[in-house]
C-alpha cells in the first residue's frame, strides 16, 4: 500500500506568510497610533511665550485730534535758568526772570479740520506732565513778557487754514523726563454752539522734543 505524502513545505510557507502579514498589520497599527499620539500631544502642548523686544519703547505722539481740531507739536526749547530781560518784548526795562530749575518754551499748532468756524476760547494747551506724573503749569503772568503779542492760544479757527500757534512758558524740574503737554477742547453742545462746561472738555497728550 502506498503511503500518503505530507506536504510540509507548503504548510510552513503558509504559516510564514500569515506571520508576515500579521507583522505588517501590527507595524501599520503602531505607525498610525504613533501619528495619533503625536498629533494629540502637539495640539495639547502649551505654545511658547512670544519673544518681547526690550528695545521697543512706548509709542510717542506728536499730534492729536479732538473733535474737528488737530493739535500738532511745533517746538519746545530749553531756555535755561534765566529769561533774559533784553530778549523780552520790553528790553529797555524788563528785568531777568530766574529759576533754580529750567524754563521750557512750548509752541503747539491748532488747525480746524471741520467745515465751520471754531470760535474763540474753545481750545487751549495746558500743563506739562512728566513721566512720573508731575504737573507743571504755564507761567502766563510771570513770563508774559517773553510770549508773542498777540499770543493766539484759543483764537478763532477757520476751516483748513494753516495751523494757529499757541505759545506757553513753563518752569520745569531739571530731573523731569518724558515730557508731554496736555491739549484740550470743549465739545459741541449742539449743532451751532460749543459747551464751556468743564465736564464737556476733552483732553489729549502730545509728546515734546525739547531742544536747547
Amino acid at each position: 500500500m502506498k503511503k500518503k505524502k505530507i506536504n510540509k513545505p507548503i504548510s510552513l510557507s503558509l504559516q510564514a506568510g500569515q506571520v508576515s502579514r500579521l507583522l505588517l498589520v501590527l507595524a501599520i497599527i503602531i505607525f498610525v497610533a504613533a501619528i495619533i499620539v503625536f498629533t494629540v500631544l502637539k495640539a495639547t502642548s502649551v505654545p511658547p511665550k512670544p519673544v518681547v523686544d526690550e528695545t521697543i519703547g512706548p509709542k510717542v505722539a506728536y499730534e492729536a485730534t479732538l473733535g474737528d481740531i488737530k493739535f500738532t507739536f511745533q517746538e519746545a526749547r530749553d531756555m535755561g535758568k534765566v529769561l533774559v530781560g533784553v530778549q523780552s518784548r520790553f528790553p529797555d526795562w524788563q528785568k531777568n526772570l530766574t529759576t533754580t530749575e529750567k524754563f521750557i518754551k512750548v509752541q503747539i499748532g491748532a488747525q480746524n479740520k471741520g467745515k465751520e468756524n471754531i470760535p474763540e476760547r474753545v481750545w487751549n494747551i495746558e500743563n506739562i506732565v512728566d513721566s512720573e506724573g508731575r504737573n507743571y503749569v504755564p507761567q502766563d503772568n510771570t513770563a508774559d513778557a517773553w510770549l508773542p503779542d498777540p499770543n493766539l492760544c484759543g483764537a478763532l479757527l477757520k476751516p483748513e487754514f494753516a495751523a494757529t500757534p499757541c505759545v506757553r512758558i513753563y518752569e520745569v524740574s531739571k530731573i523731569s523726563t518724558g515730557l508731554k503737554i496736555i491739549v484740550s477742547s470743549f465739545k459741541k453742545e449742539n449743532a451751532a454752539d460749543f459747551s464751556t462746561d468743564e465736564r464737556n472738555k476733552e483732553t489729549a497728550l502730545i509728546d515734546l522734543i525739547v531742544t536747547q
Side-chain angles (χ1 to χ4, degrees):
M1 175 183 280
K2 293 181 179 181
K3 294 183 179 180
K4 291 182 179 180
K5 293 181 179 180
I6 300 173
N7 195 354
K8 291 183 179 180
I10 294 175
S11 176
L12 291 173
S13 176
L14 288 174
Q15 289 177 2
Q18 289 174 350
V19 170
S20 297
R21 285 195 296 272
L22 181 60
L23 290 174
L24 179 61
V25 171
L26 287 173
I28 293 172
I29 292 172
I30 292 170
F31 179 74
V32 172
I35 292 175
I36 293 172
V37 170
F38 176 79
T39 304
V40 171
L41 289 175
K42 187 175 181 181
T44 56
S45 62
V46 179
K49 292 183 179 180
V51 177
V52 178
D53 189 350
E54 297 292 342
T55 64
I56 299 175
K59 291 183 179 180
V60 295
Y62 299 113
E63 61 181 44
T65 300
L66 298 175
D68 288 332
I69 303 175
K70 181 180 179 180
F71 295 91
T72 307
F73 168 75
Q74 293 184 337
E75 184 184 22
R77 281 201 302 131
D78 184 343
M79 307 293 287
K81 293 183 178 182
V82 182
L83 296 178
V84 181
V86 295
Q87 295 176 351
S88 71
R89 299 199 317 272
F90 314 107
D92 294 336
W93 56 266
Q94 178 64 53
K95 294 180 179 180
N96 293 350
L97 185 64
T98 62
T99 178
T100 58
E101 302 302 312
K102 62 184 177 181
F103 291 107
I104 293 178
K105 190 175 186 178
V106 179
Q107 181 171 309
I108 300 293
Q111 186 179 28
N112 181 357
K113 305 301 289 184
K115 298 181 179 180
E116 304 289 338
N117 284 351
I118 295 175
E120 296 178 349
R121 294 185 292 277
V122 166
W123 63 277
N124 205 350
I125 68 173
E126 302 185 9
N127 296 354
I128 282 179
V129 182
D130 71 6
S131 59
E132 298 298 322
R134 304 181 188 97
N135 275 259
Y136 302 104
V137 300
Q139 303 294 302
D140 287 355
N141 294 325
T142 56
D144 177 69
W146 288 269
L147 295 173
D149 186 22
N151 196 2
L152 299 177
C153 299
L156 178 144
L157 300 178
K158 296 181 179 180
E160 286 298 346
F161 274 44
T164 298
C166 173
V167 182
R168 300 271 194 232
I169 293 177
Y170 300 82
E171 192 176 2
V172 178
S173 170
K174 289 182 291 187
I175 68 169
S176 287
T177 58
L179 302 181
K180 301 174 184 285
I181 195 162
I182 300 171
V183 296
S184 65
S185 173
F186 288 109
K187 298 178 184 178
K188 268 193 171 183
E189 194 168 40
N190 51 55
D193 300 318
F194 284 84
S195 168
T196 55
D197 189 331
E198 288 291 320
R199 292 173 296 181
N200 289 329
K201 181 190 286 186
E202 296 180 289
T203 61
L205 288 170
I206 292 179
D207 289 273
L208 301 178
I209 301 174
V210 181
T211 59
Q212 296 294 330

